[in-house]
Amino acid sequence: MTAFGAALPRRAGALVRRAAARPQGFAARSALALLLVLLVAPFLPVVVWSVTRAWFYPAIVPQTLDLSAWTSVFSATSGVPAALGRSVLIALSATGLAMLFGVPAGRALALHRFPGRRLVEVLVLAPLVVPPLAVAMGLHAVFLKIGLAGTVPGVVLAHIIPTLPYVILVSASVFSAFDTGLEDQARSLGATPSQVLRHVTVPLLAPGLAVAALFAFLVSWSQYGLTLLVGSGRVPTMPLILMQFVTAGRQDVAGAIAVLTVLPGVLALVLSARILAAAAARERTTS
Amino acid sequence: MPIPRRIVLGLLAGALALPVAARAAPLSEDALRTAPFETIVEAARGGTVNFFLWGGDDRINAYVSGPLAEALKAEYGITLNRVGVADTAEVVNQILSEQEAGVTDGGAVDLVWINGENFRTLKTGGLLLCGYAERLPNARFVDWSDPSIANDFGTPVDGCEVPWSKARFALAYDSARTAEPPKTMAAFLDWVRANPGRFTYAAPPDFNGSAFVRHVFMHAAGGAEALSGPFDQARFDAAAEKAYGLLDDLEPFLWREGRTYPTDIAQLNQLFANSEVDFTFNYEPTVFGAGVADGRFPETTRSFAFDDGTLANTSYVAVPFNAANKAAALVLANHLLSPAEQLRKADPAVWGMATALDLDRLTPAEAEAFRALPRHPAVIADEDLADRAMAELSADWLEAIEKGWIERVGR
């Protein structure tokens, strides 16, 4: 692992290797369960808020069960279902683009020595260091001039800024642990290039890249200020609508929206955990 | 992972090209001010209007995206796109950024729900379309000579915005806890001192907390007249001495001995709902009814206004100088002023926001429909508010009072 790869992605890399090295799926499954509990537990009061009304001190438990927050959230006039779809579209597009640029960059940084590599590493980290809102203001001005402000493609492009560093860092870590010699071995045993890709390269890299994509998805999903500014308010994603109800003190509606906001993140987490578990299983059968 | 360069470039070009869409040639600004309204309606037909407004109330959202949007579509073929914001200042920043970026046409905002400092910022910056408001056909139902319509927090409206709703400050209490609330400011302050820890107010610059502090200021200055007109440092200093002294002395009797204040009205509402304090307040008393309806306030919530006067303001809709769909925005602004739409908005079952129209200018039947509207028991009767209404202070006074509070009391 290079010095660069040792920075942030150590945890992600370790996660991948540990999952892959597990002799049994039980420990991996328990770790996943614990992670889910940690994620979900602070969330329970929010769920309760969303299905109750007129819950005042000193009542310890809600006095009434009421689904009106959910009815209002799912009504055609609330804009929430549309925002949910929009958020998914934006996060998936931003993830796709970030992977498109970030994975090759990560590979280059991990496997190749070239002049100016240090500088590139610093530049890659820059979006994590510079306050994103400062970047967003400048970007908003530029996007206004070229007509990208207030559009979904504009927001997607803006989301590449905070997501790209995560993808590059994680994939650099993945590639630094990747032994290209395995590809050579497969070839020397007579594998065709497509067989090498299918049976060697992808299985070895997929778990790590899934983690990279998960990071990108979650980072894009939770953007607030960047979406607000670059979207000119006209690209209402879930965090934007959630904020409107949180500042208005509407725990019931905010609770319902918060539940919907967290679901795709949990889904993405479960999916990547699946990929990791599958990789671990494959590791067991091949070793 | 080799990816062909032309695919990358193609994707980028695609992403960049998407938002560039053709727009029909709009009416000139002069035409919007002088053309017959039918011409404006024709120009707007089939278009879209991006209406930016505070999005924190699902009832308002449902009204704007529902019946209002449907009426606009049916009558004018215009699609209303409701754009919710957490704070209207975001919209002001958006328009300011567009101006800085040189976007003089095709701006994001077509119509914005606005008043007070936000209006002043845009008007003084020359960032609003002006001179059309009184020419809208439905503007004849508005009493433009009414000072509370002609001035928005002391800033002359000058045809740069169209009144939408009236609001007056009221306090809410829980009749199950407080049998008879103190109804003058002096009696109220006595009540606070006699019931330590049972009252607090949202810290300025919260919109509502700031309005409460202005009531205290007017009380300390000996009445609203002492602070009327343009800002005057000497008059401010005299009143400030008394008002901040009074608020400082009140601190030990406030919730948590005044060591901390709720930072926004939502927090104060929650303290009230959970019986931690006995009062909350709002510049728009219909929220008490809505609050009971959506379970934020107890069923026994009631509201009142101070007998010595309660602040009144009007909220408006305005069209930014660079709006992409000015004609459609004007049609919507005019539609919002129609007696039928104002009546629907004033219905507590829909929203309950008081009309900006002058009932004397409507047909007797129309006026009667407004008077016959039901009232939520938690909401103070409109007559009781109208009797006590005081004009808002100008924005300079407002800012000085907020700044002074933050420096001397809020520290």
Side-chain angles (χ1 to χ4, degrees), chain B residues 141-160:
Chain B
F141 303 122
V142 175
D143 179 3
W144 294 90
S145 64
D146 175 352
S148 75
I149 296 271
N151 298 289
D152 181 350
F153 282 81
T155 306
V157 166
D158 293 336
C160 300

Side-chain angles (χ1 to χ4, degrees), chain A residues 99-105 107-108 111-112 171 175 183 197 201-202 205-206 209, chain B residues 1-4:
Chain A
M99 293 291 281
L100 196 63
F101 299 117
V103 173
R107 180 174 183 134
L111 300 180
H112 302 284
S171 23
F175 280 109
E183 290 177 332
L197 191 71
T201 317
V202 169
L205 292 178
L209 295 185
Chain B
M1 191 170 286
I3 290 144

Side-chain angles (χ1 to χ4, degrees), chain B residues 295-347:
Chain B
R296 269 177 306 148
F297 293 136
E299 292 283 346
T300 39
T301 300
R302 297 291 178 269
S303 51
F304 70 100
F306 289 130
D307 286 338
D308 28 3
T310 201
L311 285 170
N313 80 50
T314 305
S315 60
Y316 304 77
V317 290
V319 183
F321 77 111
N322 63 351
N325 309 293
K326 291 196 185 81
L330 259 53
V331 173
L332 175 54
N334 181 62
H335 177 77
L336 291 176
L337 276 185
S338 70
E341 200 58 71
Q342 285 274 324
L343 182 67
R344 174 152 56 195
K345 171 178 62 90
D347 184 345

Side-chain angles (χ1 to χ4, degrees), chain B residues 10-311:
Chain B
L11 278 169
L12 252 184
L16 286 163
L18 265 174
V20 183
R23 259 194 203 100
L27 289 175
S28 76
E29 254 187 52
D30 274 343
L32 288 166
R33 275 189 284 260
T34 54
F37 196 67
E38 294 71 46
T39 314
I40 296 171
V41 170
E42 269 324 300
R45 199 170 290 280
T48 298
V49 57
N50 294 300
F51 187 13
F52 281 59
L53 71 168
W54 179 70
D57 187 333
D58 52 343
R59 284 156 39 99
I60 303 177
N61 295 350
Y63 161 66
V64 173
S65 296
L68 178 62
E70 285 154 23
L72 202 68
K73 188 85 188 173
E75 284 178 46
Y76 304 100
I78 296 172
T79 306
L80 191 162
N81 178 31
R82 177 180 66 81
V83 184
V85 292
D87 184 340
T88 307
E90 288 168 12
V91 186
V92 174
N93 289 336
Q94 165 69 22
I95 298 166
L96 286 168
S97 323
E98 287 178 357
Q99 183 210 22
E100 276 163 28
V103 179
T104 54
D105 191 30
V109 187
D110 294 323
L111 197 69
V112 53
W113 184 24
I114 198 168
N115 72 356
E117 289 161 82
N118 290 323
F119 169 66
R120 194 181 59 156
T121 305
L122 291 182
K123 191 191 170 208
T124 51
L127 300 178
L128 292 176
L129 180 70
C130 293
Y132 63 90
E134 292 175 47
R135 287 195 63 258
L136 296 174
N138 288 334
R140 67 181 186 278
F141 303 122
V142 175
D143 179 3
W144 294 90
S145 64
D146 175 352
S148 75
I149 296 271
N151 298 289
D152 181 350
F153 282 81
T155 306
V157 166
D158 293 336
C160 300
E161 55 180 357
V162 178
W164 191 19
S165 298
K166 283 201 169 180
R168 297 181 187 102
F169 190 88
L171 292 95
Y173 65 102
D174 183 351
S175 57
R177 276 182 265 158
T178 314
E180 196 54 44
K183 293 210 171 145
T184 64
M185 181 56 96
F188 187 80
L189 295 172
D190 287 342
W191 185 97
V192 172
R193 283 184 281 259
N195 297 276
R198 302 302 301 167
F199 175 74
T200 189
Y201 52 96
D206 173 76
F207 180 70
N208 290 290
S210 176
F212 176 79
V213 169
R214 287 201 292 286
H215 280 93
V216 175
F217 229 83
M218 292 167 140
H219 169 73
E225 313 75 44
L227 308 176
S228 62
F231 182 76
D232 179 275
Q233 191 66 44
R235 282 198 289 155
F236 174 79
D237 290 341
E241 199 59 44
K242 274 197 247 173
Y244 295 132
L246 202 161
L247 288 170
D248 259 337
D249 295 343
L250 204 63
E251 264 192 356
F253 302 101
L254 296 179
W255 172 75
R256 291 195 183 167
E257 286 90 46
R259 283 193 304 270
T260 179
Y261 290 83
T263 51
D264 60 36
I265 196 65
Q267 288 181 22
L268 180 62
N269 287 341
Q270 218 169 324
L271 289 176
F272 167 70
N274 289 320
S275 304
E276 286 193 74
V277 297
D278 287 331
F279 295 95
T280 185
F281 43 71
N282 208 287
Y283 218 140
E284 211 229 282
T286 54
V287 304
F288 303 137
V292 171
D294 62 35
R296 269 177 306 148
F297 293 136
E299 292 283 346
T300 39
T301 300
R302 297 291 178 269
S303 51
F304 70 100
F306 289 130
D307 286 338
D308 28 3
T310 201
L311 285 170

